[in-house]
Amino acid sequence: MASRGGFSSRIGFIAAAAGSAVGLGNIWRFPYEAGENGGGAFLLVYILCILLIGFPVMVGEIAIGRSTKRDAFGAYYVLGGWKWSLVGLWGILSAIMFLSVYNVVAGWAFVYFIQSIDGSLLNIKNFGDHFSNQISDVTDLFFYSMGFMVITGLIVAGGIQKGIEKAAKILMPALFILLIELILYSLTLDNALVGVKYYLIPKFEDINLKTIYSALGQAFFSLSLGMAALITYGSYISKKENIVGAAAIVTAADTAIAFLAGLLIFPLVFSQGVSPSEGPGLVFVVLPSIFASMGTIGMYVGAAFFLLLCFAALTSTISLLEIPVTFLVDEKGYSRKKMVLFFSVLIFAVGIPSMLSQGAVDSLTSFAYYEGKTKAVFDVVFDIFSDIGLPLGGFLMSLFISTHWKLTNFHTELAVGNPRYPGSFVQKFLSFVITFFAPLFLGIMFVTTVLHKFFGITLI
Ligand code: PHE
C-alpha cells in the first residue's frame, strides 16, 4: 500500500495527533465543564480520568491502527471479522455526526474572530443577548460554518504530509504562544488570584457521580478518543515509532493546553465577578464582555483569543474529516479529493438541523427528549455521539483488545519501535487497565450517563 501515504516523521505524527486532541474541547468546553462542576474538584477527577483511562485507550487505538495500516472499519475487520468491524463503523458514524455539530461551534468561533477584528464586538451592550442572536442567525451560521468546512476540506484534500502534517506544525506552536501571552495578561488583572484558587484548590465535597462522568466524557472528547480518530492517524505512522512514547506526549500536550485554558479563563471570569457556571456560553458571553471592558487593547486580546480558538478547532476538524475519508479511500479505493468533497458536503448537510436548533427553528430548539424535558438537537447529537458514544467506543475497544485481539498481540505491536517495553511497568499497567479497569469503569459510566441524560435518573 505504498500510495497510502503516511506521516513523514515522529514529530509530524505528534503534531497532527496533538492537533486533533487540542481543540474546542480544551478551550471552549473544558473551562465551562470545570466551571459547572466545581473548578478544582473537576480538575482533579479529570486528571485521574486522563491518566487511568484516557492514556491507555489512546495507546490501544494507535496500536490497532498501526498494526493493520487500515481505516477504522478495515482495522477492526482485519483483526476481528465483520462483527467487530461494526465497532469501527460506529466510530466512523460518530465522527460524521460529531463533526456536524463541532463545525457549528467552530463557525461561532469564526464569527467572533471576525467581529473582534472589525471592532464590532466592542460595541455590544449585552453579550448574553448578542450570543443568543448570533447562534440563531441563520445567514451568519451558514456562511461561517461553511467557510470552516471548506478550509478543513482543502487541507485534508492535500493529504497526510502536505496537508494535515504541515498545517499542524504551523498552527500548534502558534496556538501555544498565543495562549501563554493571554495568560500572562489575565494574571495581571484584579482578583485574578481568586480565580486561580477556585481552579486549583479542589473541594472534595464537590465530587459526585456527575463530576465523574462529566470529567470522563470531557477526557474522551478532549483526547479525541472513542471514535477511531487515533486508529486512523495511527494507521499512518511508521513501525519505527514508539507508540507509548508518542501517546504520552500527545496526552501531556492536550492536558497542558486544557489546564492553561482554565488558567486563562478563571482569572478573567473572577476579575469580572461573574459566575463560572455559565455553560457553553462561557467563552462567548463572559470573555467578550471582559475584552470589551478593556477598551482598545481588548480588541487585540479578543481577536487573538478567537483566532486561537479557530486554530485549535481547525486541527481537530481536519482529523475528524480524515476518519470517513480514509475509510472509503482504503476500502473502496476512491480518490481522496472526491471523498473530501463528498463528506464535507454530507457532514455540512447533516449539521443543518443542529445549526438551526439554537433558536432559529423552534421545533428543533425544543426537541423532545425524555418525558417532560426538551433539548436542542445540537445537544442531543453531542449527548449521543460525544458524552455517551465516546466512552462507549472506548469500552468496546478495550473489550476487543482483551477478548479478541488478545493482550499478547497488543503488547507485541507496542514493542515494535520500543525495545524497552516488554516487561516494563507501563506494560503491566496497560494490561490491567485494558482487561479490568477500563471495561468495568466505562461500562458503569455508560449506564449511569444514559440513565441520567435520557431518563432523568440520577443514581447518586
Ligand atoms: N479532541 C478534540 C477537541 O478537544 C475533538 C475531537 C474529538 C477531535 C474526537 C477528533 C475526535 O476539541
Side-chain angles (χ1 to χ4, degrees):
M1 276 213 190
S3 62
R4 208 174 165 268
F7 292 107
S8 68
S9 62
R10 174 180 164 81
I11 204 72
F13 168 74
I14 290 175
S20 167
V22 175
L24 295 170
N26 306 56
I27 299 168
W28 163 67
R29 202 177 123 122
F30 176 81
Y32 85 72
E33 286 282 346
E36 273 179 348
N37 291 295
F42 181 86
L43 181 64
L44 178 70
V45 180
Y46 177 74
I47 291 177
L48 289 175
C49 288
I50 294 276
L51 291 175
L52 300 178
I53 297 279
F55 170 68
V57 169
M58 180 181 287
V59 171
E61 289 197 8
I62 302 176
I64 292 175
R66 192 183 67 173
S67 87
T68 55
K69 299 240 170 257
R70 287 273 286 270
D71 64 289
F73 161 86
Y76 274 106
Y77 186 79
V78 169
L79 298 176
W82 74 267
K83 277 195 200 137
W84 285 106
S85 73
L86 297 178
V87 179
L89 279 183
W90 165 254
I92 295 162
L93 174 72
S94 304
I96 293 174
M97 297 305 296
F98 186 93
L99 178 53
S100 77
V101 254
Y102 194 91
N103 188 55
V104 174
V105 184
W108 302 347
F110 201 4
V111 180
Y112 272 70
F113 169 60
I114 299 293
Q115 292 178 349
S116 308
I117 343 184
D118 72 13
S120 57
L121 210 55
L122 284 187
N123 303 322
I124 304 293
K125 296 280 163 303
N126 182 330
F127 283 92
D129 289 352
H130 178 68
F131 180 62
S132 331
N133 292 338
Q134 196 58 62
I135 63 178
S136 56
D137 180 325
V138 182
T139 332
D140 268 8
L141 281 178
F142 256 72
F143 182 76
Y144 288 99
S145 305
M146 199 182 282
F148 216 88
M149 191 58 100
V150 170
I151 299 173
T152 307
L154 288 174
I155 296 175
V156 176
I160 296 292
Q161 277 188 26
K162 291 210 190 75
I164 296 180
E165 191 178 315
K166 207 164 159 196
K169 277 185 181 161
I170 300 170
L171 295 178
M172 295 305 291
L175 179 143
F176 186 73
I177 294 168
L178 275 176
L179 195 54
I180 297 289
E181 282 174 9
L182 287 171
I183 291 174
L184 292 178
Y185 176 78
S186 84
L187 288 178
T188 62
L189 300 173
D190 293 344
N191 244 355
L193 216 61
V194 185
V196 175
K197 278 197 188 132
Y198 170 80
Y199 181 46
L200 295 186
I201 302 177
K203 290 205 211 74
F204 290 96
E205 63 273 23
D206 284 349
I207 300 179
N208 53 35
L209 213 55
K210 179 168 177 283
T211 326
I212 302 177
Y213 79 67
S214 305
L216 181 74
Q218 175 60 26
F220 270 75
F221 187 119
S222 190
L223 290 175
S224 303
L225 301 176
M227 70 160 60
L230 289 160
I231 297 188
T232 307
Y233 272 12
S235 76
Y236 292 109
I237 53 173
S238 125
K239 290 279 185 196
K240 282 190 267 161
E241 307 304 348
N242 168 349
I243 293 182
V244 171
I249 297 175
V250 174
T251 306
D254 185 67
T255 311
I257 300 277
F259 176 78
L260 291 176
L263 204 55
L264 161 66
I265 284 160
F266 289 110
L268 282 176
V269 164
F270 279 82
S271 76
Q272 296 290 308
V274 289
S275 154
S277 49
E278 278 289 321
L282 186 66
V283 157
F284 292 101
V285 175
V286 177
L287 291 187
S289 71
I290 295 168
F291 299 146
S293 71
M294 296 171 180
T296 329
I297 174 139
M299 197 169 126
Y300 298 109
V301 180
F305 178 81
F306 287 109
L307 181 65
L308 179 146
L309 200 57
C310 290
F311 281 1
L314 184 61
T315 46
S316 300
T317 51
I318 290 171
S319 73
L320 285 159
L321 183 59
E322 182 60 37
I323 299 171
V325 167
T326 295
F327 167 50
L328 287 189
V329 170
D330 275 3
E331 295 306 317
K332 294 281 174 204
Y334 296 150
S335 99
R336 167 173 282 271
K337 292 206 169 68
K338 281 196 188 122
M339 287 304 101
V340 167
L341 183 64
F342 171 70
F343 280 113
S344 308
V345 173
L346 175 79
I347 292 170
F348 183 77
V350 169
I352 291 176
S354 302
M355 195 183 289
L356 301 180
S357 75
Q358 300 287 305
V361 175
D362 281 348
S363 57
L364 298 172
T365 307
S366 351
F367 192 68
Y369 214 35
Y370 55 83
E371 222 178 309
K373 196 161 183 257
T374 60
K375 264 201 176 186
V377 173
F378 175 95
D379 295 315
V380 179
V381 176
F382 260 142
D383 278 356
I384 299 177
F385 294 98
S386 170
D387 289 23
I388 297 173
L390 299 183
L392 175 66
F395 170 73
L396 294 170
M397 187 215 72
S398 336
L399 279 192
F400 170 73
I401 295 183
S402 57
T403 66
H404 195 89
W405 194 31
K406 303 289 185 215
L407 281 181
T408 43
N409 292 318
F410 171 59
H411 290 318
T412 308
E413 182 61 34
L414 294 180
V416 176
N418 183 3
R420 289 209 314 244
Y421 177 73
S424 63
F425 168 75
V426 183
Q427 182 183 29
K428 295 189 186 82
F429 169 68
L430 290 174
S431 297
F432 169 72
V433 173
I434 298 286
T435 17
F436 300 107
F437 188 58
L440 188 71
F441 183 65
L442 292 174
I444 295 174
M445 283 300 132
F446 173 71
V447 176
T448 320
T449 321
V450 171
L451 286 179
H452 186 84
K453 297 243 177 206
F454 287 95
F455 301 96
I457 300 170
T458 310
L459 296 178
I460 301 181

